[in-house]
Amino acid sequence: MMELFDLKGKRALITGGTHGLGMAMAEGLGRAGAGLVITGTTPSKMEKALEHYARCGYEASGYIFDVTDEEEARKYISVIEKEAGPVDILVNNAGIIKREMALDMTVEDFRRVIEVDLVGPFIMSRLVASGMIERGGGKIINICSMMSELGRDNVSAYAAAKGGLKMLTRNLATEWARYNIQVNGIGPGYFATSQTAPIRVKGNPFNDFIVSRTPAGRWGDPEDLAGATVFLASKASDFVNGQVLYVDGGILATIGKPLNEP
Ligand SMILES: NC(=O)c1ccc[n+]([C@@H]2O[C@H](COP(=O)([O-])OP(=O)(O)OC[C@H]3O[C@@H](n4cnc5c(N)ncnc54)[C@H](O)[C@@H]3O)[C@@H](O)[C@H]2O)c1
Ligand SMILES: O=C(O)[C@H](O)[C@@H](O)[C@H](O)[C@H](O)CO
């Protein structure tokens, strides 16, 4: 039974894997036996992350590049495939957010979020897919969001990008199923990471709102994502394609409850 989830002999490339959700998903894949290739943007964080992966006993290598720069990404994918080996699993995790009301957000900021959160996965998926096609298949996992389904104040660019990423997932699944590539998404709810640190402070009403809006009654722990990641990276999901698996403590299942209800 467990061989369905066994990733021994597989190699996973996780963008933005130096900390946060990317690191937690990489650790899950490592625990299931996959070799890890992580990308990042900050050399000091990369150094710390590689030490951490080595301490945990995972085979891991790291590369610093910007996923929005197609030429740079192409160069690095070919270096990665030569140095580390072919990529069987791609996790498009790198992402940014800008919190500003639409009327105040600059077009430049809007474009940058779309570039990193939507164009980046498009660039990375195509570059990695060509090798997957030659080798007979692969797995691509796009990290979506509650904002793939819902709006809220301040996050128009992010919601547009993550909603787009959900549809990119479905479209690539459609085009690449014929090559035995499964393209799926994970939609994390609200998780405690550096991205949410500014809204997770005690006393900020948004902090209490998230806890009360989440049926599980808490922020997600990055480790909560490991199981979904291993599932979508493994043989167990070979006939699952174009889906977004929401790991959200139940947020999308409910309309919420009145403030005065316990
Ligand atoms: N934290 C949450 O609650 C939450 C919920 C849903 C979805 N997400 C998504 O999960 C992913 C990871 O989030 P996190 O909370 O760990 O965020 P984070 O800010 O801690 O990490 C983001 C990572 O993306 C990398 N990155 C950013 N821009 C890049 C670029 N141009 N090129 C290459 N790498 C780049 C960073 O180096 C970093 O490693 C993001 O896509 C985020 O939108 C987060
Ligand atoms: O300001 C926000 O609403 C949050 O930062 C997010 O958008 C979350 O990080 C996440 O993506 C929800 O799933």
Side-chain angles (χ1 to χ4, degrees):
M1 178 61 194
M2 288 319 286
E3 78 279 358
L4 274 178
F5 301 95
D6 189 359
L7 298 178
K8 269 192 232 71
K10 302 284 184 193
R11 188 167 294 94
L13 168 56
I14 301 100
T15 65
T18 53
H19 59 276
L21 301 189
M23 176 174 259
M25 292 187 282
E27 286 183 320
L29 296 171
R31 261 160 65 198
L36 307 175
V37 178
I38 60 166
T39 81
T41 44
T42 318
S44 56
K45 284 188 182 161
M46 178 62 79
E47 204 178 307
K48 269 177 66 187
L50 290 177
E51 278 168 23
H52 173 80
Y53 289 122
R55 255 196 321 277
C56 297
Y58 309 134
E59 178 210 319
S61 52
Y63 298 84
I64 304 275
F65 62 94
D66 184 334
V67 294
T68 69
D69 182 335
E70 187 185 11
E71 279 326 301
E72 204 180 54
R74 187 190 311 284
K75 193 182 84 193
Y76 274 102
I77 296 297
S78 92
V79 170
I80 287 166
E81 297 211 316
K82 263 190 219 104
E83 286 180 2
V87 175
D88 306 289
I89 301 153
L90 168 66
V91 182
N92 282 312
N93 164 75
I96 57 167
I97 189 165
K98 304 257 185 212
R99 294 189 185 91
E100 194 118 45
M101 294 296 264
L103 289 175
D104 300 322
M105 188 178 290
T106 62
V107 172
E108 195 187 358
D109 275 356
F110 189 92
R111 284 209 175 103
R112 185 62 190 158
V113 173
I114 301 283
E115 275 289 317
V116 178
D117 294 5
L118 182 56
V119 182
F122 178 71
I123 290 174
M124 290 298 294
S125 299
R126 289 202 310 178
L127 289 172
V128 168
S130 44
M132 289 177 171
I133 292 168
E134 277 168 28
R135 293 185 297 276
K139 302 274 186 182
I140 297 178
I141 304 171
N142 292 324
I143 304 311
C144 298
S145 163
M146 294 295 90
M147 270 69 234
S148 299
E149 300 291 339
L150 302 170
R152 86 171 188 85
D153 276 4
N154 279 319
V155 296
S156 57
Y158 186 79
K162 295 293 188 178
L165 187 57
K166 174 183 69 177
M167 287 313 300
L168 180 66
T169 300
R170 291 180 180 166
N171 215 90
L172 295 183
T174 307
E175 293 190 18
W176 296 346
R178 71 198 71 177
Y179 306 120
N180 188 31
I181 297 174
Q182 288 81 51
V183 187
N184 289 291
I186 293 177
Y190 278 81
F191 278 72
T193 68
S194 54
Q195 189 193 68
T196 54
I199 54 176
R200 222 169 352 96
V201 277
K202 271 222 165 359
N204 180 342
F206 194 78
N207 186 41
D208 298 340
F209 165 69
I210 285 303
V211 174
S212 65
R213 178 67 183 79
T214 305
R218 64 172 174 89
W219 285 78
D221 177 336
E223 284 183 14
D224 291 325
L225 290 180
T229 313
V230 171
F231 169 60
L232 292 177
S234 68
K235 200 172 163 28
S237 60
D238 277 357
F239 202 53
V240 178
N241 212 355
Q243 299 295 316
V244 178
L245 176 48
Y246 289 99
V247 181
D248 66 354
I251 292 177
L252 290 179
T254 182
I255 194 172
K257 59 183 178 185
L259 272 177
N260 57 357
E261 221 172 65

